[in-house]
Coordinates of all heavy atoms in Angstrom, one line a residue:
G115 N 115.2 150.0 107.7 CA 115.0 149.1 108.8 C 113.6 149.0 109.2 O 112.7 149.3 108.4
P116 N 113.3 148.6 110.4 CA 111.9 148.4 110.9 C 111.2 149.8 111.0 O 111.8 150.8 111.4 CB 112.0 147.7 112.2 CG 113.3 148.0 112.7 CD 114.2 148.1 111.5
G117 N 109.9 149.9 110.6 CA 109.2 151.1 110.7 C 107.8 150.9 111.3 O 107.2 149.9 111.1
L118 N 107.4 151.9 112.1 CA 106.1 151.8 112.8 C 105.5 153.2 112.8 O 106.1 154.2 113.3 CB 106.3 151.3 114.2 CG 105.0 151.3 115.1 CD1 103.9 150.4 114.5 CD2 105.4 150.8 116.5
Y119 N 104.3 153.4 112.2 CA 103.6 154.6 112.1 C 102.1 154.5 112.6 O 101.5 153.4 112.3 CB 103.6 155.2 110.7 CG 104.9 155.7 110.2 CD1 105.9 154.8 109.7 CD2 105.2 157.0 110.3 CE1 107.1 155.2 109.3 CE2 106.5 157.5 109.8 CZ 107.4 156.6 109.4 OH 108.6 157.0 109.0
Y120 N 101.6 155.5 113.2 CA 100.2 155.6 113.6 C 99.5 156.6 112.7 O 100.0 157.7 112.5 CB 100.1 156.0 115.0 CG 98.6 156.4 115.4 CD1 97.7 155.4 115.7 CD2 98.3 157.7 115.5 CE1 96.4 155.8 116.1 CE2 97.0 158.1 115.9 CZ 96.1 157.1 116.2 OH 94.8 157.5 116.5
V121 N 98.3 156.1 112.1 CA 97.5 157.0 111.2 C 96.1 156.9 111.7 O 95.6 155.8 111.9 CB 97.7 156.6 109.8 CG1 96.8 157.5 108.9 CG2 99.1 156.6 109.3
D122 N 95.4 158.0 111.8 CA 93.9 158.0 112.1 C 93.1 158.8 111.2 O 93.6 159.4 110.2 CB 93.7 158.4 113.6 CG 94.0 159.9 113.8 OD1 94.0 160.7 112.8 OD2 94.1 160.3 115.0
D123 N 91.8 158.7 111.4 CA 90.8 159.3 110.4 C 90.9 160.8 110.4 O 90.4 161.5 109.5 CB 89.4 158.9 110.8 CG 89.0 159.2 112.2 OD1 88.8 160.3 112.6 OD2 89.1 158.2 113.0
G124 N 91.6 161.5 111.4 CA 91.7 162.9 111.4 C 92.9 163.4 110.6 O 93.2 164.6 110.5
G125 N 93.7 162.4 110.0 CA 94.9 162.8 109.2 C 96.1 162.8 110.1 O 97.2 163.3 109.6
T126 N 96.0 162.4 111.4 CA 97.2 162.4 112.2 C 98.2 161.3 111.8 O 97.7 160.2 111.5 CB 96.8 162.2 113.7 OG1 96.0 163.2 114.1 CG2 98.1 162.1 114.6
R127 N 99.4 161.6 111.7 CA 100.4 160.6 111.3 C 101.7 160.7 112.2 O 102.3 161.8 112.2 CB 100.8 160.7 109.9 CG 102.0 159.8 109.4 CD 102.2 160.0 107.9 NE 103.4 159.4 107.4 CZ 104.6 160.0 107.4 NH1 104.8 161.2 107.7 NH2 105.7 159.3 106.9
L128 N 101.9 159.7 113.0 CA 103.0 159.7 114.0 C 104.0 158.6 113.8 O 103.5 157.4 113.5 CB 102.5 159.7 115.4 CG 101.5 160.8 115.8 CD1 100.9 160.5 117.1 CD2 102.2 162.2 115.8
S129 N 105.2 158.8 113.9 CA 106.2 157.7 113.9 C 106.7 157.5 115.4 O 106.9 158.5 116.1 CB 107.4 158.1 113.1 OG 108.5 157.1 113.2
G130 N 106.8 156.2 115.8 CA 107.2 156.0 117.2 C 107.7 154.6 117.3 O 107.7 153.8 116.4
R131 N 108.1 154.2 118.6 CA 108.6 152.9 118.9 C 107.5 152.0 119.5 O 107.6 150.8 119.5 CB 109.7 153.0 119.9 CG 110.9 153.9 119.5 CD 112.1 153.6 120.3 NE 112.6 152.2 120.0 CZ 113.3 151.9 118.9 NH1 113.6 152.8 118.0 NH2 113.7 150.6 118.7
M132 N 106.4 152.6 119.9 CA 105.3 151.8 120.5 C 104.0 152.6 120.4 O 103.9 153.8 120.7 CB 105.6 151.6 122.0 CG 104.6 150.8 122.8 SD 104.8 151.1 124.6 CE 106.5 150.7 124.8
F133 N 102.9 151.9 120.0 CA 101.6 152.4 119.9 C 100.6 151.4 120.3 O 100.8 150.2 120.1 CB 101.3 152.9 118.5 CG 102.0 154.1 118.0 CD1 103.0 153.9 117.0 CD2 101.8 155.3 118.5 CE1 103.7 155.0 116.5 CE2 102.5 156.4 118.1 CZ 103.5 156.3 117.1
S134 N 99.5 151.8 120.8 CA 98.3 151.0 121.1 C 97.1 151.7 120.8 O 97.0 152.9 121.1 CB 98.4 150.5 122.6 OG 97.3 149.6 122.8
T135 N 96.1 151.1 120.2 CA 94.8 151.8 119.9 C 93.7 151.0 120.4 O 93.8 149.8 120.7 CB 94.7 152.0 118.4 OG1 94.6 150.7 117.7 CG2 95.9 152.7 117.8
G136 N 92.5 151.6 120.5 CA 91.3 151.0 120.9 C 91.0 151.3 122.3 O 91.8 151.9 123.1
C137 N 89.8 150.9 122.8 CA 89.3 151.2 124.1 C 90.1 150.5 125.2 O 90.0 150.8 126.4 CB 87.8 151.0 124.3 SG 87.3 149.3 123.9
G138 N 90.8 149.4 124.8 CA 91.6 148.7 125.8 C 93.1 149.1 125.8 O 93.9 148.5 126.4
S139 N 93.4 150.2 125.0 CA 94.8 150.6 124.8 C 95.5 151.1 126.1 O 96.7 150.8 126.3 CB 94.9 151.7 123.8 OG 94.2 152.8 124.1
S140 N 94.7 151.7 127.0 CA 95.3 152.2 128.2 C 95.9 151.0 129.1 O 96.9 151.1 129.7 CB 94.3 153.0 129.0 OG 93.2 152.3 129.3
F141 N 95.1 149.9 129.1 CA 95.6 148.7 129.9 C 96.8 148.1 129.2 O 97.8 147.7 129.8 CB 94.5 147.7 130.0 CG 93.2 148.3 130.5 CD1 92.0 148.4 129.7 CD2 93.1 148.8 131.8 CE1 90.9 148.9 130.2 CE2 91.9 149.3 132.3 CZ 90.8 149.4 131.5
A142 N 96.8 148.0 127.8 CA 97.9 147.5 127.1 C 99.1 148.3 127.3 O 100.2 147.8 127.5 CB 97.5 147.3 125.6
Y143 N 99.0 149.6 127.2 CA 100.1 150.5 127.4 C 100.8 150.3 128.8 O 102.0 150.3 128.9 CB 99.7 152.0 127.4 CG 99.8 152.6 126.0 CD1 98.7 153.3 125.4 CD2 101.0 152.6 125.3 CE1 98.8 153.9 124.2 CE2 101.1 153.2 124.0 CZ 100.0 153.8 123.5 OH 100.1 154.4 122.2

């Protein structure tokens, strides 16, 4: 089915239902 993962330069990998990145992410969240 649908999949959504967050990956960053530190090697973090997370699965979730909702993610936002960037300096405006707190407002988007």
